[in-house]
Amino acid sequence: MSGYFSILFIYGLWIVGFLILLLLGYLVYDKRYKTNGAATPQSPPNGFLSTPEVFIDPKDGFTYRVYYNPRTGERAYIREK
């Protein structure tokens, strides 16, 4: 009977680990266009250049333009008016 419980314990650990990974993925998923809960800036920061990339965010339906900082490689997503 102890072999049965050890198998359940091992599979239980795998299931718990998988559920933890799912939870972490859900909490981290698709935070690409967000700025840590702050409002989206209305104008690009200094040193950012406009790119031809424009997209409509499926979550909020707004149009965003992508700005790029050639010095750091950072990208900024600014909602268009």
Side-chain angles (χ1 to χ4, degrees):
M1 195 71 165
S2 66
Y4 178 72
F5 286 116
S6 65
I7 291 173
L8 283 179
F9 179 74
I10 291 171
Y11 282 114
L13 286 178
W14 277 99
I15 291 171
V16 168
F18 180 72
L19 291 175
I20 289 172
L21 286 176
L22 281 178
L23 179 64
L24 288 174
Y26 174 76
L27 294 174
V28 175
Y29 178 72
D30 208 14
K31 305 288 190 235
R32 296 173 290 187
Y33 310 120
K34 309 300 180 242
T35 55
N36 296 331
T40 303
Q42 297 299 319
S43 62
N46 290 335
F48 280 76
L49 304 174
S50 177
T51 68
E53 296 177 63
V54 177
F55 66 94
I56 298 173
D57 189 349
K59 288 188 176 182
D60 61 16
F62 291 112
T63 302
Y64 289 86
R65 177 164 301 275
V66 180
Y67 291 84
Y68 173 73
N69 185 334
R71 187 173 58 84
T72 64
E74 184 179 3
R75 296 164 64 90
Y77 304 93
I78 309 297
R79 188 165 67 186
E80 298 229 312
K81 296 176 170 86

